[in-house]
Amino acid sequence: MSTDRELVDEGAVELQRLHIFSVLLEWVNALTRSVIPIAVLYMQNRDRGGRIVALLGAAVLALTAAWSVASYFTKRYGLSRDALIVKSGVLRKQSRIIPFGRIQSVNVRQSALQRVFGMAELRVETGTSGASAEADLSVLRWGDAQALREKLVSERRLAVASRPAAQALAEQAATDIAPTVVAPEREPEPVVIATIDVEELMVAGGTSNNIGVLIALLISGCERFGSSFFERLLLPGALGSPLEALGAAMSSVWVFGLLLVVVVLPILFASWLVSVAGSVVRYYGFTLERVGRDLRRRHGLFSRVEASVPLARAQAIRFRQTMLRRPFKRGELLLVSAGSATGSDGASGGAQHLLPIVHLDNVARMVAEVFPDANIDEALATARGGGMWRRAAPLSWLRQAAGSSLRLGVLIGAIVWWRGDAWLALGWLLPASWALAVLRWRVRGLHMANGYVMVREGGIARTTVILPERKLQLVELQQGPLQRLFGVATLQLTTAGSGGDASMIDLPLAEARSIQEALASRLPKAVRTRRNVRASGTPETRHTIPSPAELSYHGI
């Protein structure tokens, strides 16, 4: 493959524009971003007749329309022999050359509005971590977006296959998948790994954390129109909001029962329905496939998503269980990959959903699809903190409880100073924080076996992180003031992917140092660590930044 300096001249490449529908879509997006500022300005000037708002609204309509048209004529793209070329910019011109061999992920997304008009958005990500994709082609015809995605994926596969033999061997050593020989004229047949039916999606929505957020939003909405209803109840002090009424109703059984039936239960049920519907709409038809050495997922009822990620970029897997999913032995499986745009999948950091819901019994099988040599069945099946798991120090829960008590004490003190009668209502938080600290101590654990590190953390909700040792970039030892007092330390494990970190808190210091030395000795040559100890006795780990050649060797 050519180097970046040897790419064909941009002038020799035939560049083409996006679909004309991009003007309308860009205009709608710009207007959407302007709604809130204009609404605030209107609220401040409505007594003056709203003339300023009318003039501002007309100006926004004209400016955003002009900007959308200008963006359409200045944004163009094309394919050279070795790269994707994207030019854009109205005031500030920008030209991007993305070599095929650098492409890591090519995703096609289709919003509900785009689907009505048969359009789609194509996003191209490389190995550079950032808040957005390196190329965002919005919008193309659905068929054109699909064809361009297949072309880019195919060209990337051929570019990687044509790399020098030494580099290919180095990448193969850092990759978990046996090399796949792909004929240039044939596309690998997709192999379905997992699908999710509607019933499972309903369980996913009904047990997600979104319910709590929806409850808060619905309660906030009730605050806007519920005051007249609660005033009719003739509660003490003519309270005018659901929250104040609920507090006052605790002394009256019949009023509390009425609030429970009329307000609380409808809010809970409405939140549950919205969460279930949102999960089904977002992940309808979820299919996870292996295509050669890539993973590809497809889902969506109104808005459709087709995303792919090379398996060689996988850095870690997170299995996350909410409080509601644990009784059903279910959770979500997140794949952390290097170079993914931050939050590109709606998940945390650079992680993306491998499966939005999965049964505990299937987690080991799905991990093996990404890391074939991972053998974690026994560790996952072991009860919390079982014999094969390294535990936090016995009294570490006391340190956690002391820190929680200090923070809660300050908060409760401030509330009591503001409202002197709030002490009894908030006093239960202190023993609850101590119970939660004990639960977190019992759950927390670290397991090492067969070249993999597993870290389990959490209390009511729990997360298990699976990290291949060969993907680790930094093994760090940290100690705070209280940890030095208790003789414990935190072992911080870092990979190249955003969201692929794990922390084992409050390991005995000697054990933490032993694990650090063991892991550091097995790190790839591209990652070199050395440990220094400050005068205070705090271990400090430093690491050198790998060169680009070393990054390729490590298989990031």
Side-chain angles (χ1 to χ4, degrees), residues 20-76:
I20 189 63
F21 182 74
S22 62
V23 175
L24 176 60
L25 188 65
E26 181 70 23
W27 192 27
V28 171
N29 291 335
L31 291 177
T32 302
R33 293 190 293 267
S34 306
V35 167
I36 294 179
I38 292 178
V40 172
L41 187 62
Y42 172 76
M43 296 297 294
Q44 295 176 344
N45 295 273
R46 57 183 176 180
D47 296 335
R48 305 176 189 175
R51 180 175 300 178
I52 296 179
V53 178
L55 293 176
L56 181 62
V60 168
L61 286 174
L63 289 175
T64 53
W67 184 270
S68 301
V69 173
S71 298
Y72 167 74
F73 283 104
T74 56
K75 188 166 188 177
R76 293 172 297 164

Side-chain angles (χ1 to χ4, degrees), residues 24 127 129 134 147 257 264 285 287 331 356 387 405 420 467 483 511 532:
L24 176 60
S129 298
E134 280 65 32
V264 177
T287 302
S405 298
L467 302 127
Q483 286 182 317
E511 186 176 2
N532 298 332

Side-chain angles (χ1 to χ4, degrees), residues 23 50 83 107 110 120 180 191 248 258 271 292 308 404 423 453:
V23 175
N107 304 332
Q110 191 179 41
T180 302
V191 178
L258 180 62
S271 301
S308 61
S404 299
W423 174 258
V453 184

Side-chain angles (χ1 to χ4, degrees), residues 443-523:
V443 171
R444 189 173 296 127
L446 180 143
H447 175 64
M448 299 169 56
N450 303 321
Y452 285 82
V453 184
M454 298 176 61
V455 179
R456 178 182 289 168
E457 60 184 2
I460 299 176
R462 299 176 185 177
T463 300
T464 302
V465 186
I466 300 100
L467 302 127
E469 291 180 5
R470 59 186 173 277
K471 300 291 186 179
L472 292 177
Q473 297 292 303
L474 177 63
V475 183
E476 187 177 7
L477 214 59
Q478 303 171 347
Q479 267 192 318
L482 284 178
Q483 286 182 317
R484 289 199 295 271
L485 179 63
F486 282 84
V488 297
T490 295
L491 189 67
Q492 178 72 29
L493 307 175
T494 305
T495 68
S498 176
D501 303 345
S503 300
M504 180 58 192
I505 302 173
D506 289 346
L507 275 173
L509 181 57
E511 186 176 2
R513 283 177 171 168
S514 174
I515 296 174
Q516 182 194 31
E517 295 294 345
L519 289 176
S521 67
R522 295 196 290 267
L523 289 180

Side-chain angles (χ1 to χ4, degrees), residues 40 66 69-70 106 124 128 154 201 232 238 261 286 342 377 403 413 433 442 476 526 554:
V40 172
V69 173
V106 184
V124 179
T128 303
S154 176
L201 292 178
R232 295 191 185 99
V261 173
F286 189 97
T342 303
D377 304 66
S433 67
R442 294 184 61 190
E476 187 177 7
H554 188 49

Side-chain angles (χ1 to χ4, degrees), residues 347-363:
S348 58
Q352 52 186 300
H353 280 108
L354 189 63
L355 286 175
I357 187 167
V358 59
H359 195 279
L360 179 61
D361 296 340
N362 295 325
V363 171

Side-chain angles (χ1 to χ4, degrees), residues 114-150:
Q114 290 172 339
R115 192 167 185 177
V116 171
F117 291 93
M119 303 296 165
E121 172 187 5
L122 185 136
R123 296 165 57 92
V124 179
E125 299 177 3
T126 66
T128 303
S129 298
S132 60
E134 280 65 32
D136 189 348
L137 302 181
S138 177
V139 291
L140 302 170
R141 289 191 180 275
W142 171 255
D144 295 340
Q146 290 282 60
L148 181 57
R149 183 179 71 83
E150 296 299 331

Side-chain angles (χ1 to χ4, degrees), residues 226-259 263:
S227 58
S228 59
F229 169 78
F230 290 102
E231 287 175 355
R232 295 191 185 99
L233 294 179
L234 300 177
L235 295 173
L239 299 173
S241 76
L243 294 179
E244 293 175 343
L246 184 60
M250 295 295 291
S251 59
S252 175
V253 176
W254 74 269
V255 174
F256 178 74
L258 180 62
L259 287 175
V263 177

